[in-house]
Amino acid sequence: MLSLSTVFCKAERAHFFNSSNRIAEYFTEGRPLLVRWKMEILIGLLISSLSLYCDFTDAECPVISPARLVVKYGDPASSNCSSDTPVEMGWESTQGGVGLTDKEVKILNWRVDSLTDWENNPKCFTDGGQCLKQLDITVYKLPDSVSISYRKYPDPMVEGHQYLLQCLVQNIAPIGRLRVTFFKVSATGEQTELDTQHKSKDNIKTPENGTYTLHFTPGRDDARAQLLCSAMLDLGPEGPQPPPVMDSNRLNINVHYKPQITSPGCFSMTITEGNTLSLNCSANGNPAPSYNWLLPQADPNTMEERSVVTITNMAKSHSGEYTCIAINPLGNSTCTVNVEVTDAECLVVSPARLVVKHGDPASSNCSSDIPVEMGWEAFQGGVGLTDKEVKILNWRVDSLTDWKIKPSCFTDGGQCEKQLDITVYKLPDSVSISYRKYPDPMVEGHQYLLQCLVQNIAPIGRLRVTFYKVSATGEQTELDTRQKAKDNIKTPENGTYTLDFTPGRDDAGAQLLCSAMLDLGPEGPQPPPVMESNRLNINVHYKPQITRSPGCFSMRITEGDTLSLACSANVDYLPIIAGLASVVILLVISCFIYSSYYKHTRMSH
């Protein structure tokens, strides 16, 4: 039985197209010329829309089932053409064609044992050609190979430089249904998607080669990682599930980057005359760095072996700055140790260096090989010259609160004086991270300025601030480390450290934080105290990228059947829903206007 809408469309088709002028006159009669002109255009559009609806729902021809086939090249294929009433029918096809039947039948099968025609379009037809239905066939072939390479081989690959990757997919069909994804696999095995690409080539049915490219900028954290690409042939719901995927070979990432010194750190120290000084410098760099030392003076007692400098029998003349320079072809990194050599026959202060938390007790001894009259000069805990000769004299405070204190041990007559090296420190009141200007929203590929505020810390010159990104899976990646040269500032200060950050779509759901580490050298607390900031959630806006079926393709559907397509993309759905709602509302209004006209014209007849 035909549907009511079909009967309506059949009966009224000719009358429907011949009466558009009368519809316009009915709705615009007596109105101003401009209003009549606008309404005539609107009514014409609505009538055209309803005519398309009538054409779409006309269902008298035979039905092809299944209406769409996805067949691997060389595999068998089959479909049926059926009718509610017996008719003479046949199949027109370059493979498996069937001539017009001698008698009327309700069903006729089309079948091939090995489909090898890439552009085969079987059509079911009835006697006299009154009806013609086409079977929608997609013939596919998996790729012979998938390979990844550099467009121009980087020799070597350098941190921060950009390189062009290319993924070659050979002999695949149909290439318009191919999606190529680039991945990076870390040394620990974690796989990160870099980009997915798709080319619109629905008109190409035969096997093709496809080349897909991506710009890649490596960092030092990418050392020992790998790059690969995968080819997924997404043939829609009728195709194999899950869609077949073929991975390429893997490219090893060997990144060259300039050195960064990791030890001994940059600090000050004292050593007694006659003792041996040994400093070991190490740095991360690729290629492995070479080392040079800049010394206060040349001396026959000095021995340099790669990253280690050793001086035996230290003298006062050896006091000064010892600078390590780590060098490779991409740059250098330096670190300086300030060494003070104390007089051996004079007083000895032990310990010679103290690192004390503000408000904590502090103590050191001044000693001599022979008894002498001695004292301690200090703003806190000072001790006057002793009345008698002694070998040792203690300096002590119960609560050290002087940020710039420099206790000195002296002998009678000031012939000898030794200063105690004290660093008074204070941990920060707070560490916080924020955007210099809050991004609303944050957009992929744009640059934003992060700032880390460390409040009320001393000494600020020993502070190292590190920015981190924490992925949604909890993996923490170091972005950068900052340090300010402010060794002359002893009192608490606030420190602001900034970093330019450019988010990508893979950063969605990740977090940003900064940590403040107070590195006070070997005499300070071990491990060095670290305070982390709050965490900033990264909410990145980025353009859509379709992630699964249906993809971009052509298909046919039989009149009267139900069409269902599911599309998924990484994008906010609200604009799409709003657009669909607008279309639905327009169709409802169209039906209402035409219904009013139809009733009026029928009643007038």
Side-chain angles (χ1 to χ4, degrees), residues 17-18 32 34 53 60 80 106 114 198 213 224 269 325 378 509 514 523 540 544 561:
F17 287 106
N18 294 330
L34 179 61
Y53 167 76
E60 289 184 347
N80 290 320
K106 282 190 173 184
S114 177
H198 169 260
T213 60
R224 300 185 304 281
M269 64 174 293
I325 306 174
C514 61
E523 295 84 1
V540 189
D561 284 358

Side-chain angles (χ1 to χ4, degrees), residues 542-605:
Y542 47 88
K543 69 179 182 181
Q545 178 177 306
I546 293 179
T547 56
R548 65 179 179 90
S549 296
C552 307
F553 61 93
S554 301
M555 66 175 291
R556 291 182 176 85
I557 184 169
T558 305
E559 293 171 318
D561 284 358
T562 299
L563 173 65
S564 177
L565 295 175
C567 184
S568 175
N570 293 328
V571 67
D572 186 357
Y573 287 97
L574 290 179
I576 300 174
I577 295 173
L580 291 176
S582 300
V583 173
V584 172
I585 292 171
L586 180 60
L587 288 175
V588 170
I589 295 173
S590 302
C591 290
F592 174 77
I593 293 174
Y594 184 77
S595 176
S596 298
Y597 158 74
Y598 179 73
K599 291 179 180 179
H600 177 77
T601 54
R602 281 299 180 208
M603 290 176 65
S604 63
H605 289 338

Side-chain angles (χ1 to χ4, degrees), residues 1 63 106 135 151 153 206 226 275 282 286-287 315 363 462 470-471 481 544 547 552:
M1 179 180 291
V63 175
K106 282 190 173 184
L135 171 62
R151 177 66 62 86
Y153 186 75
T206 55
Q226 295 178 314
N275 288 347
S282 62
N286 191 20
S363 176
R462 306 308 300 277
V470 183
S471 69
T481 297
T547 56
C552 307

Side-chain angles (χ1 to χ4, degrees), residues 408-434:
S408 295
C409 179
F410 60 93
T411 60
D412 185 21
Q415 295 177 351
C416 189
E417 184 175 354
K418 291 292 181 181
Q419 182 174 295
L420 171 61
D421 182 12
I422 293 185
T423 299
V424 183
Y425 74 92
K426 177 190 176 299
L427 300 181
D429 292 344
S430 65
V431 180
S432 60
I433 189 172
S434 62

Side-chain angles (χ1 to χ4, degrees), residues 154-200:
D155 188 17
M157 180 179 282
V158 179
E159 177 185 31
H161 289 203
Q162 192 177 74
Y163 301 94
L164 188 63
L165 299 174
Q166 65 178 12
C167 183
L168 176 61
V169 184
Q170 290 189 308
N171 210 23
I172 188 170
I175 196 169
R177 306 306 303 278
L178 174 64
R179 291 182 186 171
V180 170
T181 303
F182 291 85
F183 293 97
K184 179 177 71 177
V185 183
S186 69
T188 60
E190 183 181 14
Q191 186 165 288
T192 303
E193 180 179 330
L194 300 178
D195 191 30
T196 296
Q197 299 179 10
H198 169 260
K199 295 181 179 179
S200 298

Side-chain angles (χ1 to χ4, degrees), residues 49-279:
S49 299
L50 287 172
S51 69
L52 291 175
Y53 167 76
C54 290
D55 288 341
F56 187 81
T57 56
D58 186 3
E60 289 184 347
C61 287
V63 175
I64 292 179
S65 179
R68 181 171 185 259
L69 291 178
V70 175
V71 184
K72 187 175 182 180
Y73 183 82
D75 280 4
S78 175
S79 184
N80 290 320
C81 183
S82 60
S83 174
D84 291 339
T85 59
V87 293
E88 294 180 12
M89 64 177 77
W91 279 97
E92 178 185 335
S93 176
T94 54
Q95 278 189 272
V98 180
L100 190 70
T101 57
D102 297 331
K103 57 182 179 178
E104 294 180 339
V105 295
K106 282 190 173 184
I107 188 167
L108 184 63
N109 178 254
W110 170 84
R111 176 179 179 82
V112 293
D113 294 327
S114 177
L115 188 58
T116 56
D117 184 357
W118 295 102
E119 301 187 9
N120 195 4
N121 295 308
K123 300 178 182 65
C124 177
F125 61 93
T126 60
D127 185 22
Q130 294 178 351
C131 193
L132 188 67
K133 293 288 183 179
Q134 182 170 302
L135 171 62
D136 182 11
I137 294 186
T138 298
V139 185
Y140 74 92
K141 177 189 176 301
L142 299 181
D144 292 344
S145 65
V146 180
S147 61
I148 189 172
S149 62
Y150 297 105
R151 177 66 62 86
K152 181 180 180 182
Y153 186 75
D155 188 17
M157 180 179 282
V158 179
E159 177 185 31
H161 289 203
Q162 192 177 74
Y163 301 94
L164 188 63
L165 299 174
Q166 65 178 12
C167 183
L168 176 61
V169 184
Q170 290 189 308
N171 210 23
I172 188 170
I175 196 169
R177 306 306 303 278
L178 174 64
R179 291 182 186 171
V180 170
T181 303
F182 291 85
F183 293 97
K184 179 177 71 177
V185 183
S186 69
T188 60
E190 183 181 14
Q191 186 165 288
T192 303
E193 180 179 330
L194 300 178
D195 191 30
T196 296
Q197 299 179 10
H198 169 260
K199 295 181 179 179
S200 298
K201 293 186 176 181
D202 287 336
N203 59 323
I204 299 177
K205 310 296 183 182
T206 55
E208 292 273 330
N209 295 335
T211 301
Y212 303 77
T213 60
L214 177 70
H215 288 289
F216 175 67
T217 303
R220 64 182 61 207
D221 294 333
D222 293 327
R224 300 185 304 281
Q226 295 178 314
L227 296 167
L228 65 97
C229 62
S230 70
M232 180 177 73
L233 195 60
D234 188 358
L235 298 161
E238 294 84 359
Q241 299 298 324
V245 177
M246 180 181 288
D247 284 346
S248 71
N249 55 303
R250 296 193 176 195
L251 291 178
N252 293 318
I253 303 176
N254 181 23
V255 189
H256 283 202
Y257 48 90
K258 70 178 184 179
Q260 182 176 322
I261 292 178
T262 56
S263 68
C266 309
F267 59 91
S268 300
M269 64 174 293
T270 59
I271 188 171
T272 305
E273 280 184 304
N275 288 347
T276 298
L277 174 68
S278 180
L279 296 173

